[in-house]
Amino acid sequence: MKGTELKYEDLEGLLKGLLDKKTVDCLILPHKVGNNVAYMMVTDKNKIEPPAPAIFAPSFSVNAANIVKGWTIKEKIGIVAKPCEIRAAIELIKLKQIDKESVLLISVDCSGAFKNQDYADHYGEIGDWVDSAKIEELKGKGIAIREACAICDHRLADVGDIGIARVDGEKVLVTGITDMGLDALSAAELSLEDKEIERKGEKEKIAADAKKKEEELAKISSMEELEEFLRDCIVCKNCRDMCPVCYCKECFFDQPLGNPVGGDLLNLSKLRGAVGVPANQLMYHLTRVYHVSTTCVGCGACEDACPKDIPLTRLYPVIAEKVQEIFEYVPGRDVEEPLPFVTYEEEELEDKLR
Amino acid sequence: MGEEAKEDFEPKIIGFTCNWCTYAGADLAGTSRKKYPPNVRLIRLMCSGRLDPMFVLKVLLNGADAVFIGGCHPGECHYIKGNFYARRRIAAIRTILKQFGLDNRVRAEWCSASEGDKFARIMKEMAEDIKKLGPNPMRGKIL
């Protein structure tokens, strides 16, 4: 793998170089807002602040892939984001919601993120960057990372076109993963050399950790438990809107059949004697579970978006993982890998049908 | 639910069948006077690939006790590959339903137009299985 080691501060130069050399027309970058971190789209290189405090910040605002959903124009956009966001963007490329040639995906190492409120409240203790030891220490104080992050096993910057990995001290390792990424780095005048980045041990440790955390999560194992779990849901559909891979232009649950109002609702009630309102609560969530089952990257944006604080991580990513297992599919692993539902093997899955 | 009530329980099964094979297979079972329990209500699709897994969810949430899906044998689809796609979708929706213990109420079988015997046998088996399983827990719920 080709890459180069940079000082933390030099990242600013790299990002400015990408804009300066017209490698990209704009960049989606995290920047500090008070104690927290938010995204900005920047076209003027002078507006780029030193990325150091924001780029590795353990905070999750919105899935950056959701911002570029529908980016099918020729102008090129660069995204600097966490692996889950980059993986969501790769899924959107496969779903034809983003033009592959119009995005430069730059992933950064992630150690897990805190809920926005937790991060802002405890910024003094958390700081701009955490490692796994620090996460454990903070957990002891009652400040835990998001459940979605705790069960995530894709935290290393090895997806997308360029990866920015954190090495010890104040250094980062910038690697070109695809040809597009290598070209971008060369254009930004980085001297690329062969870099051995061997992080298999780290990866295995993260995966084992994530599996353990997932087993500790409360399970939803029957329809009664699911009903109880979704009891407070008001079908506001925020989880759908904030989900990067839920992309239908006309959602079934915005149409009369999925969202009955007036006479339709009355008829439904007459048909069944009684109907729960808002209607289709269970149907909505089960349908969404199925619709995102192969592409869910487990970013936890749905849970963050829920105004009723339903821990949706226990529903969507957990079940999606089971479905992805039967197709041996990992969303965002490879942009050339076809989506499970658009391909097939002639002999498969016969034990899953009855 | 007591044992007695279970005895009386007649399951309601919704069957989605392909026009070119299982539906004709069901027809053959009828014309050759094969006996099978009358618990299934068939809905004819042009292909098992037409089955949106939302149908399965809706059927189960609305209180039917089981879903049957019939399609052409793999490799014999009238539309070349509709049943290959269907197989993936059904496997996915059953994996999801498995989390909530509903997967044993969904059964997909490949049954050609000449397999009237097989259709009658499947219907018999299914009716017995679902009778043992009892009614759908979602039956009568206010949803």
Side-chain angles (χ1 to χ4, degrees), chain A residues 85-119:
Chain A
E85 302 168 79
I86 300 300
R87 289 167 61 227
I90 292 173
E91 288 303 294
L92 285 171
I93 291 174
K94 293 187 203 174
L95 292 163
K96 310 236 185 305
Q97 301 303 304
I98 299 179
D99 185 358
K100 188 181 161 194
E101 301 303 319
S102 302
V103 281
L104 181 71
L105 303 171
I106 305 170
S107 58
V108 297
D109 269 0
C110 172
S111 47
F114 295 87
K115 290 212 165 180
N116 287 158
Q117 195 61 47
D118 291 346
Y119 186 58

PDB file of all heavy atoms in Angstrom, chain A residues 85-119:
ATOM      1  N   GLU A  85     -19.588   6.139   7.703  1.00  0.00           N
ATOM      2  CA  GLU A  85     -20.164   7.080   6.742  1.00  0.00           C
ATOM      3  C   GLU A  85     -19.644   6.810   5.341  1.00  0.00           C
ATOM      4  O   GLU A  85     -20.378   6.883   4.353  1.00  0.00           O
ATOM      5  CB  GLU A  85     -19.847   8.512   7.193  1.00  0.00           C
ATOM      6  CG  GLU A  85     -20.381   8.783   8.594  1.00  0.00           C
ATOM      7  CD  GLU A  85     -19.840  10.064   9.199  1.00  0.00           C
ATOM      8  OE1 GLU A  85     -20.345  11.120   8.825  1.00  0.00           O
ATOM      9  OE2 GLU A  85     -18.924  10.007  10.034  1.00  0.00           O
ATOM     10  N   ILE A  86     -18.348   6.470   5.267  1.00  0.00           N
ATOM     11  CA  ILE A  86     -17.757   6.147   3.963  1.00  0.00           C
ATOM     12  C   ILE A  86     -18.382   4.865   3.410  1.00  0.00           C
ATOM     13  O   ILE A  86     -18.697   4.765   2.219  1.00  0.00           O
ATOM     14  CB  ILE A  86     -16.223   5.977   4.105  1.00  0.00           C
ATOM     15  CG1 ILE A  86     -15.595   7.275   4.633  1.00  0.00           C
ATOM     16  CG2 ILE A  86     -15.603   5.564   2.785  1.00  0.00           C
ATOM     17  CD1 ILE A  86     -15.797   8.489   3.764  1.00  0.00           C
ATOM     18  N   ARG A  87     -18.624   3.887   4.302  1.00  0.00           N
ATOM     19  CA  ARG A  87     -19.240   2.641   3.838  1.00  0.00           C
ATOM     20  C   ARG A  87     -20.655   2.890   3.350  1.00  0.00           C
ATOM     21  O   ARG A  87     -21.102   2.301   2.356  1.00  0.00           O
ATOM     22  CB  ARG A  87     -19.235   1.600   4.961  1.00  0.00           C
ATOM     23  CG  ARG A  87     -17.821   1.080   5.258  1.00  0.00           C
ATOM     24  CD  ARG A  87     -17.773   0.316   6.552  1.00  0.00           C
ATOM     25  NE  ARG A  87     -18.635  -0.841   6.512  1.00  0.00           N
ATOM     26  CZ  ARG A  87     -19.493  -1.169   7.468  1.00  0.00           C
ATOM     27  NH1 ARG A  87     -19.589  -0.433   8.555  1.00  0.00           N
ATOM     28  NH2 ARG A  87     -20.227  -2.231   7.362  1.00  0.00           N
ATOM     29  N   ALA A  88     -21.377   3.769   4.032  1.00  0.00           N
ATOM     30  CA  ALA A  88     -22.732   4.115   3.576  1.00  0.00           C
ATOM     31  C   ALA A  88     -22.663   4.763   2.195  1.00  0.00           C
ATOM     32  O   ALA A  88     -23.489   4.479   1.320  1.00  0.00           O
ATOM     33  CB  ALA A  88     -23.405   5.043   4.578  1.00  0.00           C
ATOM     34  N   ALA A  89     -21.659   5.617   1.985  1.00  0.00           N
ATOM     35  CA  ALA A  89     -21.520   6.271   0.678  1.00  0.00           C
ATOM     36  C   ALA A  89     -21.245   5.231  -0.411  1.00  0.00           C
ATOM     37  O   ALA A  89     -21.763   5.330  -1.526  1.00  0.00           O
ATOM     38  CB  ALA A  89     -20.400   7.305   0.729  1.00  0.00           C
ATOM     39  N   ILE A  90     -20.443   4.217  -0.082  1.00  0.00           N
ATOM     40  CA  ILE A  90     -20.157   3.159  -1.061  1.00  0.00           C
ATOM     41  C   ILE A  90     -21.438   2.398  -1.400  1.00  0.00           C
ATOM     42  O   ILE A  90     -21.700   2.083  -2.568  1.00  0.00           O
ATOM     43  CB  ILE A  90     -19.062   2.214  -0.514  1.00  0.00           C
ATOM     44  CG1 ILE A  90     -17.729   2.971  -0.443  1.00  0.00           C
ATOM     45  CG2 ILE A  90     -18.932   0.969  -1.373  1.00  0.00           C
ATOM     46  CD1 ILE A  90     -16.602   2.227   0.221  1.00  0.00           C
ATOM     47  N   GLU A  91     -22.261   2.126  -0.381  1.00  0.00           N
ATOM     48  CA  GLU A  91     -23.546   1.471  -0.650  1.00  0.00           C
ATOM     49  C   GLU A  91     -24.418   2.348  -1.546  1.00  0.00           C
ATOM     50  O   GLU A  91     -25.103   1.856  -2.438  1.00  0.00           O
ATOM     51  CB  GLU A  91     -24.279   1.160   0.654  1.00  0.00           C
ATOM     52  CG  GLU A  91     -23.676   0.026   1.455  1.00  0.00           C
ATOM     53  CD  GLU A  91     -23.582  -1.268   0.674  1.00  0.00           C
ATOM     54  OE1 GLU A  91     -24.629  -1.838   0.339  1.00  0.00           O
ATOM     55  OE2 GLU A  91     -22.453  -1.706   0.373  1.00  0.00           O
ATOM     56  N   LEU A  92     -24.386   3.662  -1.315  1.00  0.00           N
ATOM     57  CA  LEU A  92     -25.204   4.570  -2.130  1.00  0.00           C
ATOM     58  C   LEU A  92     -24.701   4.609  -3.575  1.00  0.00           C
ATOM     59  O   LEU A  92     -25.487   4.790  -4.506  1.00  0.00           O
ATOM     60  CB  LEU A  92     -25.207   5.976  -1.522  1.00  0.00           C
ATOM     61  CG  LEU A  92     -26.077   6.120  -0.271  1.00  0.00           C
ATOM     62  CD1 LEU A  92     -25.851   7.459   0.397  1.00  0.00           C
ATOM     63  CD2 LEU A  92     -27.557   5.977  -0.626  1.00  0.00           C
ATOM     64  N   ILE A  93     -23.393   4.440  -3.762  1.00  0.00           N
ATOM     65  CA  ILE A  93     -22.861   4.351  -5.133  1.00  0.00           C
ATOM     66  C   ILE A  93     -23.465   3.126  -5.813  1.00  0.00           C
ATOM     67  O   ILE A  93     -23.949   3.189  -6.940  1.00  0.00           O
ATOM     68  CB  ILE A  93     -21.321   4.268  -5.112  1.00  0.00           C
ATOM     69  CG1 ILE A  93     -20.717   5.592  -4.652  1.00  0.00           C
ATOM     70  CG2 ILE A  93     -20.792   3.894  -6.500  1.00  0.00           C
ATOM     71  CD1 ILE A  93     -19.210   5.563  -4.462  1.00  0.00           C
ATOM     72  N   LYS A  94     -23.494   1.996  -5.093  1.00  0.00           N
ATOM     73  CA  LYS A  94     -24.063   0.771  -5.666  1.00  0.00           C
ATOM     74  C   LYS A  94     -25.547   0.928  -5.942  1.00  0.00           C
ATOM     75  O   LYS A  94     -26.078   0.346  -6.882  1.00  0.00           O
ATOM     76  CB  LYS A  94     -23.868  -0.397  -4.702  1.00  0.00           C
ATOM     77  CG  LYS A  94     -22.428  -0.803  -4.505  1.00  0.00           C
ATOM     78  CD  LYS A  94     -22.401  -2.064  -3.667  1.00  0.00           C
ATOM     79  CE  LYS A  94     -21.080  -2.213  -2.976  1.00  0.00           C
ATOM     80  NZ  LYS A  94     -21.105  -3.352  -2.056  1.00  0.00           N
ATOM     81  N   LEU A  95     -26.218   1.710  -5.097  1.00  0.00           N
ATOM     82  CA  LEU A  95     -27.662   1.921  -5.278  1.00  0.00           C
ATOM     83  C   LEU A  95     -27.933   3.017  -6.299  1.00  0.00           C
ATOM     84  O   LEU A  95     -29.066   3.450  -6.457  1.00  0.00           O
ATOM     85  CB  LEU A  95     -28.304   2.285  -3.932  1.00  0.00           C
ATOM     86  CG  LEU A  95     -28.330   1.176  -2.882  1.00  0.00           C
ATOM     87  CD1 LEU A  95     -28.586   1.740  -1.493  1.00  0.00           C
ATOM     88  CD2 LEU A  95     -29.373   0.136  -3.221  1.00  0.00           C
ATOM     89  N   LYS A  96     -26.888   3.507  -6.927  1.00  0.00           N
ATOM     90  CA  LYS A  96     -26.970   4.536  -7.973  1.00  0.00           C
ATOM     91  C   LYS A  96     -27.514   5.864  -7.455  1.00  0.00           C
ATOM     92  O   LYS A  96     -28.170   6.613  -8.167  1.00  0.00           O
ATOM     93  CB  LYS A  96     -27.820   4.048  -9.159  1.00  0.00           C
ATOM     94  CG  LYS A  96     -27.419   2.675  -9.671  1.00  0.00           C
ATOM     95  CD  LYS A  96     -27.079   2.718 -11.140  1.00  0.00           C
ATOM     96  CE  LYS A  96     -26.795   1.361 -11.726  1.00  0.00           C
ATOM     97  NZ  LYS A  96     -25.759   0.582 -11.062  1.00  0.00           N
ATOM     98  N   GLN A  97     -27.252   6.143  -6.190  1.00  0.00           N
ATOM     99  CA  GLN A  97     -27.683   7.415  -5.605  1.00  0.00           C
ATOM    100  C   GLN A  97     -26.534   8.418  -5.549  1.00  0.00           C
ATOM    101  O   GLN A  97     -26.738   9.590  -5.233  1.00  0.00           O
ATOM    102  CB  GLN A  97     -28.236   7.197  -4.193  1.00  0.00           C
ATOM    103  CG  GLN A  97     -29.407   6.246  -4.131  1.00  0.00           C
ATOM    104  CD  GLN A  97     -30.535   6.682  -5.017  1.00  0.00           C
ATOM    105  OE1 GLN A  97     -31.048   7.788  -4.901  1.00  0.00           O
ATOM    106  NE2 GLN A  97     -30.940   5.825  -5.946  1.00  0.00           N
ATOM    107  N   ILE A  98     -25.322   7.957  -5.804  1.00  0.00           N
ATOM    108  CA  ILE A  98     -24.161   8.844  -5.878  1.00  0.00           C
ATOM    109  C   ILE A  98     -23.371   8.409  -7.107  1.00  0.00           C
ATOM    110  O   ILE A  98     -23.251   7.216  -7.377  1.00  0.00           O
ATOM    111  CB  ILE A  98     -23.249   8.704  -4.635  1.00  0.00           C
ATOM    112  CG1 ILE A  98     -23.989   9.081  -3.353  1.00  0.00           C
ATOM    113  CG2 ILE A  98     -22.010   9.574  -4.770  1.00  0.00           C
ATOM    114  CD1 ILE A  98     -23.143   8.940  -2.098  1.00  0.00           C
ATOM    115  N   ASP A  99     -22.853   9.375  -7.855  1.00  0.00           N
ATOM    116  CA  ASP A  99     -22.014   9.039  -9.002  1.00  0.00           C
ATOM    117  C   ASP A  99     -20.613   8.705  -8.501  1.00  0.00           C
ATOM    118  O   ASP A  99     -19.976   9.507  -7.831  1.00  0.00           O
ATOM    119  CB  ASP A  99     -21.996  10.230  -9.972  1.00  0.00           C
ATOM    120  CG  ASP A  99     -21.247   9.887 -11.245  1.00  0.00           C
ATOM    121  OD1 ASP A  99     -20.737   8.757 -11.339  1.00  0.00           O
ATOM    122  OD2 ASP A  99     -21.179  10.749 -12.138  1.00  0.00           O
ATOM    123  N   LYS A 100     -20.162   7.508  -8.843  1.00  0.00           N
ATOM    124  CA  LYS A 100     -18.872   7.029  -8.332  1.00  0.00           C
ATOM    125  C   LYS A 100     -17.717   7.956  -8.693  1.00  0.00           C
ATOM    126  O   LYS A 100     -16.782   8.159  -7.916  1.00  0.00           O
ATOM    127  CB  LYS A 100     -18.630   5.635  -8.932  1.00  0.00           C
ATOM    128  CG  LYS A 100     -17.448   4.908  -8.377  1.00  0.00           C
ATOM    129  CD  LYS A 100     -17.326   3.564  -9.084  1.00  0.00           C
ATOM    130  CE  LYS A 100     -15.938   2.996  -8.915  1.00  0.00           C
ATOM    131  NZ  LYS A 100     -15.700   1.897  -9.855  1.00  0.00           N
ATOM    132  N   GLU A 101     -17.777   8.535  -9.900  1.00  0.00           N
ATOM    133  CA  GLU A 101     -16.675   9.387 -10.357  1.00  0.00           C
ATOM    134  C   GLU A 101     -16.704  10.770  -9.726  1.00  0.00           C
ATOM    135  O   GLU A 101     -15.772  11.542  -9.880  1.00  0.00           O
ATOM    136  CB  GLU A 101     -16.720   9.531 -11.893  1.00  0.00           C
ATOM    137  CG  GLU A 101     -16.618   8.206 -12.640  1.00  0.00           C
ATOM    138  CD  GLU A 101     -15.356   7.435 -12.281  1.00  0.00           C
ATOM    139  OE1 GLU A 101     -14.289   8.077 -12.159  1.00  0.00           O
ATOM    140  OE2 GLU A 101     -15.438   6.213 -12.096  1.00  0.00           O
ATOM    141  N   SER A 102     -17.794  11.098  -9.053  1.00  0.00           N
ATOM    142  CA  SER A 102     -17.940  12.454  -8.504  1.00  0.00           C
ATOM    143  C   SER A 102     -17.646  12.543  -7.019  1.00  0.00           C
ATOM    144  O   SER A 102     -17.887  13.576  -6.412  1.00  0.00           O
ATOM    145  CB  SER A 102     -19.358  12.977  -8.738  1.00  0.00           C
ATOM    146  OG  SER A 102     -19.653  12.969 -10.096  1.00  0.00           O
ATOM    147  N   VAL A 103     -17.182  11.447  -6.427  1.00  0.00           N
ATOM    148  CA  VAL A 103     -16.874  11.525  -4.997  1.00  0.00           C
ATOM    149  C   VAL A 103     -15.479  10.991  -4.707  1.00  0.00           C
ATOM    150  O   VAL A 103     -15.031  10.016  -5.306  1.00  0.00           O
ATOM    151  CB  VAL A 103     -17.876  10.736  -4.112  1.00  0.00           C
ATOM    152  CG1 VAL A 103     -19.149  11.496  -3.906  1.00  0.00           C
ATOM    153  CG2 VAL A 103     -18.137   9.353  -4.666  1.00  0.00           C
ATOM    154  N   LEU A 104     -14.809  11.663  -3.814  1.00  0.00           N
ATOM    155  CA  LEU A 104     -13.532  11.188  -3.298  1.00  0.00           C
ATOM    156  C   LEU A 104     -13.765  10.882  -1.820  1.00  0.00           C
ATOM    157  O   LEU A 104     -14.065  11.781  -1.036  1.00  0.00           O
ATOM    158  CB  LEU A 104     -12.461  12.275  -3.464  1.00  0.00           C
ATOM    159  CG  LEU A 104     -11.060  11.891  -2.981  1.00  0.00           C
ATOM    160  CD1 LEU A 104     -10.432  10.869  -3.911  1.00  0.00           C
ATOM    161  CD2 LEU A 104     -10.169  13.113  -2.876  1.00  0.00           C
ATOM    162  N   LEU A 105     -13.675   9.605  -1.478  1.00  0.00           N
ATOM    163  CA  LEU A 105     -14.034   9.193  -0.118  1.00  0.00           C
ATOM    164  C   LEU A 105     -12.780   9.067   0.740  1.00  0.00           C
ATOM    165  O   LEU A 105     -11.876   8.286   0.422  1.00  0.00           O
ATOM    166  CB  LEU A 105     -14.785   7.861  -0.157  1.00  0.00           C
ATOM    167  CG  LEU A 105     -16.047   7.859  -1.025  1.00  0.00           C
ATOM    168  CD1 LEU A 105     -16.593   6.450  -1.178  1.00  0.00           C
ATOM    169  CD2 LEU A 105     -17.109   8.775  -0.428  1.00  0.00           C
ATOM    170  N   ILE A 106     -12.721   9.852   1.801  1.00  0.00           N
ATOM    171  CA  ILE A 106     -11.558   9.840   2.682  1.00  0.00           C
ATOM    172  C   ILE A 106     -12.000   9.381   4.061  1.00  0.00           C
ATOM    173  O   ILE A 106     -12.781  10.058   4.737  1.00  0.00           O
ATOM    174  CB  ILE A 106     -10.928  11.256   2.773  1.00  0.00           C
ATOM    175  CG1 ILE A 106     -10.602  11.775   1.366  1.00  0.00           C
ATOM    176  CG2 ILE A 106      -9.673  11.223   3.642  1.00  0.00           C
ATOM    177  CD1 ILE A 106     -10.208  13.231   1.320  1.00  0.00           C
ATOM    178  N   SER A 107     -11.547   8.196   4.471  1.00  0.00           N
ATOM    179  CA  SER A 107     -11.971   7.697   5.777  1.00  0.00           C
ATOM    180  C   SER A 107     -10.915   8.012   6.828  1.00  0.00           C
ATOM    181  O   SER A 107      -9.723   8.086   6.529  1.00  0.00           O
ATOM    182  CB  SER A 107     -12.222   6.191   5.710  1.00  0.00           C
ATOM    183  OG  SER A 107     -11.067   5.514   5.282  1.00  0.00           O
ATOM    184  N   VAL A 108     -11.368   8.226   8.046  1.00  0.00           N
ATOM    185  CA  VAL A 108     -10.446   8.484   9.162  1.00  0.00           C
ATOM    186  C   VAL A 108     -10.682   7.429  10.246  1.00  0.00           C
ATOM    187  O   VAL A 108     -11.794   6.911  10.379  1.00  0.00           O
ATOM    188  CB  VAL A 108     -10.646   9.899   9.764  1.00  0.00           C
ATOM    189  CG1 VAL A 108     -10.348  10.966   8.748  1.00  0.00           C
ATOM    190  CG2 VAL A 108     -12.026  10.066  10.337  1.00  0.00           C
ATOM    191  N   ASP A 109      -9.648   7.128  10.993  1.00  0.00           N
ATOM    192  CA  ASP A 109      -9.784   6.185  12.103  1.00  0.00           C
ATOM    193  C   ASP A 109     -10.847   6.677  13.083  1.00  0.00           C
ATOM    194  O   ASP A 109     -10.951   7.871  13.351  1.00  0.00           O
ATOM    195  CB  ASP A 109      -8.458   6.072  12.863  1.00  0.00           C
ATOM    196  CG  ASP A 109      -7.599   4.965  12.299  1.00  0.00           C
ATOM    197  OD1 ASP A 109      -8.047   4.306  11.339  1.00  0.00           O
ATOM    198  OD2 ASP A 109      -6.488   4.767  12.799  1.00  0.00           O
ATOM    199  N   CYS A 110     -11.619   5.740  13.603  1.00  0.00           N
ATOM    200  CA  CYS A 110     -12.668   6.110  14.549  1.00  0.00           C
ATOM    201  C   CYS A 110     -12.531   5.215  15.769  1.00  0.00           C
ATOM    202  O   CYS A 110     -12.259   4.024  15.651  1.00  0.00           O
ATOM    203  CB  CYS A 110     -14.039   5.889  13.896  1.00  0.00           C
ATOM    204  SG  CYS A 110     -15.423   6.093  15.009  1.00  0.00           S
ATOM    205  N   SER A 111     -12.700   5.802  16.932  1.00  0.00           N
ATOM    206  CA  SER A 111     -12.588   4.966  18.133  1.00  0.00           C
ATOM    207  C   SER A 111     -13.948   4.772  18.772  1.00  0.00           C
ATOM    208  O   SER A 111     -14.072   4.197  19.837  1.00  0.00           O
ATOM    209  CB  SER A 111     -11.631   5.635  19.110  1.00  0.00           C
ATOM    210  OG  SER A 111     -11.962   6.997  19.212  1.00  0.00           O
ATOM    211  N   GLY A 112     -14.980   5.247  18.088  1.00  0.00           N
ATOM    212  CA  GLY A 112     -16.318   5.238  18.667  1.00  0.00           C
ATOM    213  C   GLY A 112     -16.698   6.681  18.970  1.00  0.00           C
ATOM    214  O   GLY A 112     -15.829   7.518  19.166  1.00  0.00           O
ATOM    215  N   ALA A 113     -18.000   6.938  18.969  1.00  0.00           N
ATOM    216  CA  ALA A 113     -18.439   8.318  19.189  1.00  0.00           C
ATOM    217  C   ALA A 113     -19.431   8.389  20.341  1.00  0.00           C
ATOM    218  O   ALA A 113     -20.106   7.412  20.657  1.00  0.00           O
ATOM    219  CB  ALA A 113     -19.075   8.865  17.919  1.00  0.00           C
ATOM    220  N   PHE A 114     -19.500   9.566  20.953  1.00  0.00           N
ATOM    221  CA  PHE A 114     -20.464   9.800  22.017  1.00  0.00           C
ATOM    222  C   PHE A 114     -21.684  10.488  21.432  1.00  0.00           C
ATOM    223  O   PHE A 114     -21.618  11.091  20.374  1.00  0.00           O
ATOM    224  CB  PHE A 114     -19.841  10.685  23.102  1.00  0.00           C
ATOM    225  CG  PHE A 114     -18.691  10.039  23.803  1.00  0.00           C
ATOM    226  CD1 PHE A 114     -17.406  10.148  23.293  1.00  0.00           C
ATOM    227  CD2 PHE A 114     -18.888   9.298  24.952  1.00  0.00           C
ATOM    228  CE1 PHE A 114     -16.335   9.533  23.924  1.00  0.00           C
ATOM    229  CE2 PHE A 114     -17.823   8.683  25.587  1.00  0.00           C
ATOM    230  CZ  PHE A 114     -16.548   8.794  25.071  1.00  0.00           C
ATOM    231  N   LYS A 115     -22.802  10.385  22.140  1.00  0.00           N
ATOM    232  CA  LYS A 115     -23.963  11.150  21.702  1.00  0.00           C
ATOM    233  C   LYS A 115     -23.609  12.634  21.803  1.00  0.00           C
ATOM    234  O   LYS A 115     -22.841  13.027  22.686  1.00  0.00           O
ATOM    235  CB  LYS A 115     -25.172  10.840  22.586  1.00  0.00           C
ATOM    236  CG  LYS A 115     -25.682   9.426  22.349  1.00  0.00           C
ATOM    237  CD  LYS A 115     -27.178   9.312  22.534  1.00  0.00           C
ATOM    238  CE  LYS A 115     -27.626   8.007  21.939  1.00  0.00           C
ATOM    239  NZ  LYS A 115     -29.017   7.713  22.008  1.00  0.00           N
ATOM    240  N   ASN A 116     -24.176  13.434  20.925  1.00  0.00           N
ATOM    241  CA  ASN A 116     -23.832  14.859  20.876  1.00  0.00           C
ATOM    242  C   ASN A 116     -23.898  15.521  22.238  1.00  0.00           C
ATOM    243  O   ASN A 116     -22.984  16.226  22.651  1.00  0.00           O
ATOM    244  CB  ASN A 116     -24.774  15.598  19.923  1.00  0.00           C
ATOM    245  CG  ASN A 116     -24.467  15.263  18.468  1.00  0.00           C
ATOM    246  OD1 ASN A 116     -25.301  15.416  17.617  1.00  0.00           O
ATOM    247  ND2 ASN A 116     -23.271  14.792  18.192  1.00  0.00           N
ATOM    248  N   GLN A 117     -24.999  15.245  22.945  1.00  0.00           N
ATOM    249  CA  GLN A 117     -25.197  15.901  24.237  1.00  0.00           C
ATOM    250  C   GLN A 117     -24.114  15.487  25.225  1.00  0.00           C
ATOM    251  O   GLN A 117     -23.536  16.321  25.915  1.00  0.00           O
ATOM    252  CB  GLN A 117     -26.587  15.543  24.777  1.00  0.00           C
ATOM    253  CG  GLN A 117     -27.048  16.420  25.919  1.00  0.00           C
ATOM    254  CD  GLN A 117     -27.137  17.887  25.506  1.00  0.00           C
ATOM    255  OE1 GLN A 117     -27.681  18.210  24.463  1.00  0.00           O
ATOM    256  NE2 GLN A 117     -26.584  18.779  26.320  1.00  0.00           N
ATOM    257  N   ASP A 118     -23.813  14.169  25.247  1.00  0.00           N
ATOM    258  CA  ASP A 118     -22.776  13.675  26.153  1.00  0.00           C
ATOM    259  C   ASP A 118     -21.437  14.314  25.840  1.00  0.00           C
ATOM    260  O   ASP A 118     -20.677  14.691  26.723  1.00  0.00           O
ATOM    261  CB  ASP A 118     -22.638  12.144  26.026  1.00  0.00           C
ATOM    262  CG  ASP A 118     -23.845  11.423  26.576  1.00  0.00           C
ATOM    263  OD1 ASP A 118     -24.633  12.093  27.270  1.00  0.00           O
ATOM    264  OD2 ASP A 118     -24.003  10.228  26.303  1.00  0.00           O
ATOM    265  N   TYR A 119     -21.150  14.415  24.539  1.00  0.00           N
ATOM    266  CA  TYR A 119     -19.842  14.950  24.146  1.00  0.00           C
ATOM    267  C   TYR A 119     -19.718  16.411  24.552  1.00  0.00           C
ATOM    268  O   TYR A 119     -18.713  16.834  25.112  1.00  0.00           O
ATOM    269  CB  TYR A 119     -19.643  14.791  22.637  1.00  0.00           C
ATOM    270  CG  TYR A 119     -18.262  15.190  22.182  1.00  0.00           C
ATOM    271  CD1 TYR A 119     -17.140  14.566  22.714  1.00  0.00           C
ATOM    272  CD2 TYR A 119     -18.068  16.196  21.236  1.00  0.00           C
ATOM    273  CE1 TYR A 119     -15.862  14.919  22.317  1.00  0.00           C
ATOM    274  CE2 TYR A 119     -16.793  16.555  20.831  1.00  0.00           C
ATOM    275  CZ  TYR A 119     -15.691  15.916  21.374  1.00  0.00           C
ATOM    276  OH  TYR A 119     -14.438  16.280  20.987  1.00  0.00           O
TER     277      TYR A 119
END
